[in-house]
Amino acid sequence: MTQAQKSRTSRLKKKLLPLALAACLAVPGGYMIAPAPQASAAFGWGSIIGAGIQGAAAHAQLTQVLKKYNDSEEGRQEFFEEMKKQYGVNNDAYLNNRLDTIMANLTSAIGAVDPTIYDKPYNYFINNDTSFNAFCTLGHNMSVNTGLFSVLTNEDEIAVVLGHEMGHGQKDHPAKGARRSLNMAIIGAATGSELGSIVTSVINNRNITKPMEREADALAFEYITHSNYNPGACAAVWQRVLDKSKTEPSALQQFLSDHPSDNDRRDAYVKKLTAYSNNHVTVKDGVVSVNGKEFDKPAPQGDMSAAERSYFVAGNLAAAYHNGHNKEQAYADGNTVMLGAQPIISCNNQDESAASLAETLNKIK
């Protein structure tokens, strides 16, 4: 390669980095309760137009840029620093300590089923956005909105959200989504002057598809079941979102969204929970059943609705059956119902007594 060619390649990389960043930062694989963050003007949508690249050259350059920022350590660290500049960093010690603990637990859980996580450890930080969201981008770079910690106070539910994002990362969804969308933009550009507006249109739509979302949801459940977190939290987090949302999006909004509806995601997790219990545990309309017989309808607790809490009770029962604790007797340990070594529910003053629930469980388990 001549010096002139090297110089042109270097200039193209500099022009394409903002585009690659915008592609993944504008519409990351986020949890999408709040709108996805949009790329700022500082990322320079028009920069690629000045580069004057099209067709095969544009595809080749895009592949090179994505490979650098997704796969190389130098590139993904550079990307991470750009993310922090874009969104700002919340250095709150308490929140960051919580995040560090959850990320360490999830890394171990994922490592049990997918050791490749250790080849590219996740970078992560808390940003200053007060809306409910978290997202994973190129290079296993993640960010968690400050607002997520306002909506979710339960560590198990936070772990579900982050496990979902790490599922996107493990399956390389951000890079696949960015490559597909940007390639379509390049193909659709009749002239270099049209490319900027087409890219803007494509990128401001989401890159993560519904199949990718469902895959990440399924992976989150698998990861949670390899941790000490309650597998019922997967359904519970969506019940909490529904409780706080008050109203469901219209059918048209759900159809146009690249994410399954909140109800669908919750119900899919309920089915996984039943399967995980070897089909012994079911939960519907706040009622937890064992072997087809009602065990309990938990009362609300704190800011947790009765329905949300029912999924945690079902999760504990599912774990008990999955791990063989159901072979032991249920008993009351103070106000907590135990099944072997597995806690099932800690009763509040609105619940049926622990002794009574233990007696019921022994009859039907």
Side-chain angles (χ1 to χ4, degrees), residues 285-326:
D285 299 328
V287 177
V288 182
S289 299
V290 175
N291 295 324
K293 298 177 181 179
E294 183 175 332
F295 164 61
D296 187 30
K297 187 173 184 178
Q301 183 163 301
D303 69 343
M304 186 181 292
S305 71
E308 181 184 356
R309 191 170 174 229
S310 72
Y311 296 118
F312 280 100
V313 175
N316 284 331
L317 282 165
Y321 272 93
H322 186 84
N323 295 317
H325 296 301
N326 59 294

Side-chain angles (χ1 to χ4, degrees), residues 83-85 87-92 96 125-128 146:
M83 286 175 64
K84 291 193 286 187
K85 290 177 185 176
Y87 294 110
V89 178
N90 183 338
N91 291 311
D92 181 274
N96 277 277
F125 69 101
I126 301 173
N127 68 63
N128 292 317
T146 298

Side-chain angles (χ1 to χ4, degrees), residues 180-200:
R180 183 184 61 254
S181 294
L182 290 176
N183 279 343
M184 289 173 63
I186 291 168
I187 292 169
T191 66
S193 64
E194 294 179 6
L195 189 55
S197 61
I198 292 175
V199 168
T200 301

Side-chain angles (χ1 to χ4, degrees), residues 21 25 43 76-91 123-128 135 141-143:
L21 286 167
L25 293 177
F43 279 64
R76 74 189 198 95
Q77 294 301 332
E78 182 180 343
F79 195 105
F80 186 59
E81 292 306 314
E82 288 294 336
M83 286 175 64
K84 291 193 286 187
K85 290 177 185 176
Q86 169 81 352
Y87 294 110
V89 178
N90 183 338
N91 291 311
N123 297 320
Y124 57 89
F125 69 101
I126 301 173
N127 68 63
N128 292 317
F135 54 93
N141 288 314
M142 289 176 55
S143 189

Side-chain angles (χ1 to χ4, degrees), residues 21 24 44 51 58 61 78 99 105 120 130 139 153 177 214 219 249 263 287 311 332 334 356:
L21 286 167
C24 293
Q61 190 66 47
E78 182 180 343
L99 181 58
N105 290 340
K120 190 162 64 175
T130 57
T153 57
R214 292 192 177 99
L219 287 169
N263 276 320
V287 177
Y311 296 118
S356 177

